Amino acid sequence: MSAKATRDRLDGFYGKYGKRIFDLVLAIPSIVILSPIFLLCAVLIKIETSGPVFFTHERIGRGWKPFRLYKFRTMVKDASRIGPLITSSSDPRITRVGRILRKFKIDEMPQIINVIKGDMSVIGPRPEVRKYVEAFRDDYEDVLRIKPGMTDYALIAFRNEEEILSKFENMEEGYLKEVFPKKIELYKKYMEEMSLLTDVKIFFKTILEILRH
């Protein structure tokens, strides 16, 4: 990773100001346009199972600052208390509605709220839980110089992450030894290439990947 290339990206106009403008230009209209889908998801989740509509969990953000990440709940109530943090495609805790939401990444849509609040960007390294960030602390000294994002190179590359993890006998071990290091490489690649053009490309490529599946 080129430290100078990354520093130049972060200190340039786009890194300091343009990226936040890009986030708000996308996020504010999106939350209005997608509000009917939000409402439908909320109704379907409540009909199928008891419990909250949203799942919130702590993630580590820019500068090691923790924040609460929002998702539509796709598992049974209190799933995090009865199973591991990592899930596979066959996880019995996932509800029927949840499987549909996960398939099309609809469960991630509430993170638009995090973007508006300033916790996240639309494009950037995916936010991780403290446990995994601490396991790769040296790498994350660089990664957490920018806000985490809703999508990036790693999300596209590991679009079917749950299926990949289901092949490991110990999913968490497989994630930490095989998947996570590759994600970190892609996080750093994004930081080197961060620009308006890069963000636009990743945004549309993400949409195409979702529609392909």
Short mmCIF file of all heavy atoms in Angstrom, two decimals, residues 48-72:
data_model
loop_
_atom_site.label_atom_id
_atom_site.label_comp_id
_atom_site.label_asym_id
_atom_site.label_seq_id
_atom_site.Cartn_x
_atom_site.Cartn_y
_atom_site.Cartn_z
N GLU A 48 -44.11 -11.94 10.65
CA GLU A 48 -43.51 -13.26 10.77
C GLU A 48 -43.04 -13.59 12.19
O GLU A 48 -43.23 -14.71 12.67
CB GLU A 48 -42.33 -13.41 9.81
CG GLU A 48 -41.74 -14.81 9.85
CD GLU A 48 -40.66 -15.05 8.80
OE1 GLU A 48 -40.16 -14.07 8.22
OE2 GLU A 48 -40.32 -16.21 8.58
N THR A 49 -42.38 -12.64 12.85
CA THR A 49 -41.83 -12.93 14.18
C THR A 49 -42.03 -11.74 15.12
O THR A 49 -42.15 -10.60 14.68
CB THR A 49 -40.31 -13.22 14.11
OG1 THR A 49 -39.63 -12.07 13.58
CG2 THR A 49 -40.02 -14.42 13.25
N SER A 50 -42.01 -12.03 16.41
CA SER A 50 -42.04 -10.96 17.39
C SER A 50 -40.65 -10.36 17.50
O SER A 50 -39.66 -10.98 17.12
CB SER A 50 -42.48 -11.51 18.75
OG SER A 50 -41.54 -12.47 19.22
N GLY A 51 -40.58 -9.16 18.03
CA GLY A 51 -39.28 -8.51 18.18
C GLY A 51 -39.20 -7.23 17.39
O GLY A 51 -40.12 -6.87 16.67
N PRO A 52 -38.09 -6.54 17.50
CA PRO A 52 -37.92 -5.24 16.82
C PRO A 52 -37.79 -5.39 15.31
O PRO A 52 -37.40 -6.45 14.81
CB PRO A 52 -36.64 -4.69 17.43
CG PRO A 52 -35.86 -5.91 17.82
CD PRO A 52 -36.88 -6.90 18.28
N VAL A 53 -38.10 -4.33 14.58
CA VAL A 53 -37.93 -4.30 13.13
C VAL A 53 -36.45 -4.18 12.78
O VAL A 53 -35.96 -4.84 11.87
CB VAL A 53 -38.72 -3.12 12.51
CG1 VAL A 53 -38.33 -2.92 11.05
CG2 VAL A 53 -40.21 -3.36 12.64
N PHE A 54 -35.75 -3.36 13.53
CA PHE A 54 -34.34 -3.13 13.25
C PHE A 54 -33.44 -3.94 14.17
O PHE A 54 -33.77 -4.20 15.33
CB PHE A 54 -33.99 -1.64 13.42
CG PHE A 54 -34.64 -0.74 12.42
CD1 PHE A 54 -35.64 0.15 12.82
CD2 PHE A 54 -34.29 -0.77 11.09
CE1 PHE A 54 -36.24 0.98 11.91
CE2 PHE A 54 -34.89 0.06 10.16
CZ PHE A 54 -35.87 0.94 10.58
N PHE A 55 -32.31 -4.34 13.62
CA PHE A 55 -31.24 -4.96 14.39
C PHE A 55 -30.14 -3.92 14.49
O PHE A 55 -29.71 -3.36 13.47
CB PHE A 55 -30.72 -6.21 13.69
CG PHE A 55 -29.43 -6.75 14.27
CD1 PHE A 55 -29.44 -7.47 15.45
CD2 PHE A 55 -28.22 -6.52 13.62
CE1 PHE A 55 -28.26 -7.97 15.98
CE2 PHE A 55 -27.04 -7.01 14.15
CZ PHE A 55 -27.06 -7.74 15.34
N THR A 56 -29.70 -3.61 15.69
CA THR A 56 -28.59 -2.65 15.85
C THR A 56 -27.45 -3.35 16.57
O THR A 56 -27.68 -4.19 17.45
CB THR A 56 -29.01 -1.41 16.65
OG1 THR A 56 -29.36 -1.79 17.98
CG2 THR A 56 -30.20 -0.71 15.99
N HIS A 57 -26.26 -3.02 16.17
CA HIS A 57 -25.09 -3.66 16.77
C HIS A 57 -23.91 -2.70 16.69
O HIS A 57 -23.80 -1.92 15.75
CB HIS A 57 -24.76 -4.96 16.04
CG HIS A 57 -23.93 -5.90 16.84
ND1 HIS A 57 -22.56 -5.94 16.77
CD2 HIS A 57 -24.27 -6.85 17.75
CE1 HIS A 57 -22.09 -6.87 17.59
NE2 HIS A 57 -23.11 -7.44 18.19
N GLU A 58 -23.04 -2.76 17.68
CA GLU A 58 -21.89 -1.86 17.69
C GLU A 58 -20.88 -2.23 16.61
O GLU A 58 -20.55 -3.40 16.42
CB GLU A 58 -21.19 -1.89 19.05
CG GLU A 58 -20.03 -0.89 19.12
CD GLU A 58 -19.27 -0.97 20.44
OE1 GLU A 58 -18.31 -1.77 20.51
OE2 GLU A 58 -19.62 -0.24 21.37
N ARG A 59 -20.42 -1.22 15.89
CA ARG A 59 -19.33 -1.36 14.94
C ARG A 59 -18.29 -0.29 15.26
O ARG A 59 -18.58 0.68 15.95
CB ARG A 59 -19.83 -1.17 13.50
CG ARG A 59 -20.79 -2.24 13.02
CD ARG A 59 -20.10 -3.59 12.85
NE ARG A 59 -20.94 -4.56 12.18
CZ ARG A 59 -21.83 -5.34 12.76
NH1 ARG A 59 -22.01 -5.23 14.07
NH2 ARG A 59 -22.55 -6.21 12.08
N ILE A 60 -17.10 -0.47 14.73
CA ILE A 60 -16.03 0.50 14.97
C ILE A 60 -15.88 1.39 13.74
O ILE A 60 -15.73 0.91 12.62
CB ILE A 60 -14.69 -0.22 15.27
CG1 ILE A 60 -14.86 -1.16 16.46
CG2 ILE A 60 -13.60 0.81 15.55
CD1 ILE A 60 -15.34 -0.49 17.73
N GLY A 61 -15.95 2.70 13.97
CA GLY A 61 -15.91 3.66 12.88
C GLY A 61 -14.60 4.41 12.79
O GLY A 61 -13.59 4.03 13.40
N ARG A 62 -14.62 5.47 12.03
CA ARG A 62 -13.43 6.27 11.79
C ARG A 62 -12.79 6.72 13.11
O ARG A 62 -13.48 7.14 14.03
CB ARG A 62 -13.79 7.50 10.95
CG ARG A 62 -12.62 8.37 10.57
CD ARG A 62 -13.11 9.52 9.73
NE ARG A 62 -12.02 10.36 9.26
CZ ARG A 62 -12.17 11.46 8.53
NH1 ARG A 62 -13.40 11.83 8.16
NH2 ARG A 62 -11.14 12.16 8.14
N GLY A 63 -11.47 6.58 13.17
CA GLY A 63 -10.76 6.98 14.37
C GLY A 63 -11.06 6.13 15.58
O GLY A 63 -10.92 6.57 16.71
N TRP A 64 -11.51 4.88 15.34
CA TRP A 64 -11.81 3.92 16.39
C TRP A 64 -13.04 4.30 17.21
O TRP A 64 -13.26 3.78 18.29
CB TRP A 64 -10.60 3.71 17.32
CG TRP A 64 -9.42 3.13 16.61
CD1 TRP A 64 -8.46 3.83 15.93
CD2 TRP A 64 -9.11 1.76 16.44
NE1 TRP A 64 -7.55 2.96 15.37
CE2 TRP A 64 -7.92 1.69 15.68
CE3 TRP A 64 -9.70 0.58 16.89
CZ2 TRP A 64 -7.33 0.49 15.34
CZ3 TRP A 64 -9.10 -0.62 16.56
CH2 TRP A 64 -7.92 -0.66 15.79
N LYS A 65 -13.85 5.18 16.68
CA LYS A 65 -15.06 5.60 17.40
C LYS A 65 -16.18 4.59 17.16
O LYS A 65 -16.57 4.34 16.03
CB LYS A 65 -15.50 6.99 16.92
CG LYS A 65 -16.73 7.51 17.64
CD LYS A 65 -17.12 8.87 17.12
CE LYS A 65 -18.39 9.38 17.81
NZ LYS A 65 -18.80 10.71 17.29
N PRO A 66 -16.74 3.99 18.21
CA PRO A 66 -17.83 3.03 18.03
C PRO A 66 -19.15 3.72 17.68
O PRO A 66 -19.37 4.87 18.05
CB PRO A 66 -17.93 2.34 19.40
CG PRO A 66 -17.39 3.34 20.36
CD PRO A 66 -16.34 4.12 19.62
N PHE A 67 -20.00 3.03 16.93
CA PHE A 67 -21.32 3.55 16.61
C PHE A 67 -22.29 2.39 16.48
O PHE A 67 -21.88 1.23 16.37
CB PHE A 67 -21.29 4.39 15.33
CG PHE A 67 -21.03 3.58 14.07
CD1 PHE A 67 -22.08 3.14 13.27
CD2 PHE A 67 -19.73 3.28 13.67
CE1 PHE A 67 -21.85 2.41 12.11
CE2 PHE A 67 -19.48 2.55 12.51
CZ PHE A 67 -20.54 2.10 11.74
N ARG A 68 -23.59 2.69 16.49
CA ARG A 68 -24.62 1.67 16.35
C ARG A 68 -25.03 1.57 14.89
O ARG A 68 -25.51 2.54 14.29
CB ARG A 68 -25.84 2.01 17.20
CG ARG A 68 -25.58 2.20 18.66
CD ARG A 68 -25.03 0.98 19.36
NE ARG A 68 -25.95 -0.14 19.36
CZ ARG A 68 -25.73 -1.29 19.98
NH1 ARG A 68 -24.60 -1.48 20.65
NH2 ARG A 68 -26.61 -2.28 19.95
N LEU A 69 -24.82 0.40 14.29
CA LEU A 69 -25.17 0.17 12.89
C LEU A 69 -26.60 -0.36 12.80
O LEU A 69 -27.01 -1.20 13.59
CB LEU A 69 -24.19 -0.84 12.29
CG LEU A 69 -24.47 -1.27 10.84
CD1 LEU A 69 -23.19 -1.19 10.03
CD2 LEU A 69 -25.01 -2.70 10.80
N TYR A 70 -27.36 0.15 11.81
CA TYR A 70 -28.75 -0.24 11.63
C TYR A 70 -28.90 -1.23 10.47
O TYR A 70 -28.33 -1.03 9.40
CB TYR A 70 -29.62 0.98 11.33
CG TYR A 70 -29.68 2.00 12.44
CD1 TYR A 70 -28.84 3.11 12.43
CD2 TYR A 70 -30.57 1.85 13.50
CE1 TYR A 70 -28.89 4.05 13.44
CE2 TYR A 70 -30.63 2.79 14.51
CZ TYR A 70 -29.78 3.90 14.48
OH TYR A 70 -29.83 4.82 15.48
N LYS A 71 -29.69 -2.26 10.73
CA LYS A 71 -30.10 -3.21 9.68
C LYS A 71 -31.54 -3.62 9.95
O LYS A 71 -32.03 -3.51 11.07
CB LYS A 71 -29.23 -4.47 9.71
CG LYS A 71 -27.81 -4.32 9.23
CD LYS A 71 -27.16 -5.70 9.17
CE LYS A 71 -25.75 -5.65 8.62
NZ LYS A 71 -25.18 -7.01 8.46
N PHE A 72 -32.22 -4.11 8.91
CA PHE A 72 -33.48 -4.78 9.16
C PHE A 72 -33.17 -6.12 9.84
O PHE A 72 -32.22 -6.81 9.44
CB PHE A 72 -34.25 -5.03 7.86
CG PHE A 72 -34.95 -3.82 7.33
CD1 PHE A 72 -34.66 -3.33 6.06
CD2 PHE A 72 -35.92 -3.16 8.08
CE1 PHE A 72 -35.30 -2.21 5.56
CE2 PHE A 72 -36.56 -2.04 7.58
CZ PHE A 72 -36.25 -1.56 6.33
#
